[in-house]
Amino acid sequence: MDEDSQRNALISALTTEHFVLQTAASATIAEAGARSTLYVMALSSTLIAMGFLSASHELFVLFGAIVLPVVYLLGMITVMRLVDTAIENMQYLTGIARIRSFYRTLGPEAAVQFSPESGRWPEAKAPSLFLGTLLAFMGTTAALIALVNSIVAGGAAAMLTGVIAAPEYRWIGLPLAICVALLSALAFFVYQRWRFEAFENAN
């Protein structure tokens, strides 16, 4: 195979790989949306059921004690997978950027059409980073689900306090709920930051 044939074969292979990476990146976004919807539907169904049971204090507490921990566990698993899909998407975009860098070597016109500035992250700065890294981390799909899940954890802690605490100490439920929610949210942000930094250091 001569040099021109090898170059044409390489361009064809890279074009195919570019398409595969773009398809895989789209799949991660679709999965993130599906998982988020599943969690929100489970949570909303739980809250509706608790609303119907609110007329009976015993059934309300029993149902909440059984279901809320399950919903929180589902939220944790969902959040962990959402972080995974975000990192997978970043990995695919990194692969696309590598292929685009080769496209720029095809000639002067290609260098203009495939310039880094006209690309997406990691060649160009992501729009989500415009207001800083902190707000970018808070705007991920995983962060939004984690915040909702943290409120679920706080609500469960308040409910548990109302059940086991003496009447004169039930006021502790509110500050305890706030602390549990904040600690849960903080633990998520630490986890998300650790995972993203591990990906950046590996690349």
Side-chain angles (χ1 to χ4, degrees):
M1 184 180 291
D2 57 30
E3 184 176 346
D4 288 341
S5 298
Q6 290 180 348
R7 187 173 180 83
N8 290 335
L10 176 60
I11 293 174
S12 177
L14 288 175
T15 303
T16 302
E17 179 68 5
H18 191 156
F19 174 77
V20 170
L21 290 172
Q22 186 62 59
T23 303
S26 300
T28 62
I29 296 173
E31 181 185 348
R35 287 182 176 273
S36 301
T37 301
L38 176 63
Y39 171 77
V40 171
M41 289 180 62
L43 175 59
S44 61
S45 300
T46 299
L47 295 178
I48 291 172
M50 292 179 69
F52 282 121
L53 295 173
S54 60
S56 172
H57 178 73
E58 292 78 11
L59 289 177
F60 178 82
V61 173
L62 179 61
F63 183 81
I66 295 173
V67 176
L68 286 182
V70 176
V71 173
Y72 181 74
L73 179 61
L74 174 64
M76 288 183 59
I77 296 172
T78 301
V79 165
M80 292 173 67
R81 182 55 191 160
L82 288 176
V83 173
D84 288 341
T85 57
I87 293 175
E88 289 172 8
N89 187 56
M90 292 169 64
Q91 186 176 21
Y92 299 142
L93 294 181
T94 301
I96 292 173
R98 184 180 65 253
I99 294 173
R100 291 184 85 255
S101 68
F102 175 81
Y103 290 162
R104 288 195 288 272
T105 66
L106 299 178
E109 182 64 22
V112 174
Q113 295 298 326
F114 297 102
S115 64
E117 295 77 15
S118 64
R120 58 175 68 85
W121 182 94
E123 292 182 308
K125 185 176 181 180
S128 59
L129 295 174
F130 179 76
L131 295 177
T133 304
L134 178 60
L135 290 180
F137 276 121
M138 293 178 64
T140 64
T141 305
L144 299 178
I145 297 299
L147 289 176
V148 173
N149 206 42
S150 297
I151 295 174
V152 171
M159 180 180 293
L160 180 63
T161 303
V163 171
I164 65 176
E168 62 269 19
Y169 293 109
R170 287 178 183 171
W171 62 270
I172 299 175
L174 179 59
L176 178 63
I178 294 174
C179 290
V180 170
L182 290 177
L183 288 175
S184 178
L186 179 62
F188 159 73
F189 282 111
V190 171
Y191 171 77
Q192 180 178 237
R193 184 63 179 268
W194 169 66
R195 290 296 308 280
F196 275 75
E197 286 183 348
F199 171 78
E200 292 173 355
N201 293 334
N203 293 273

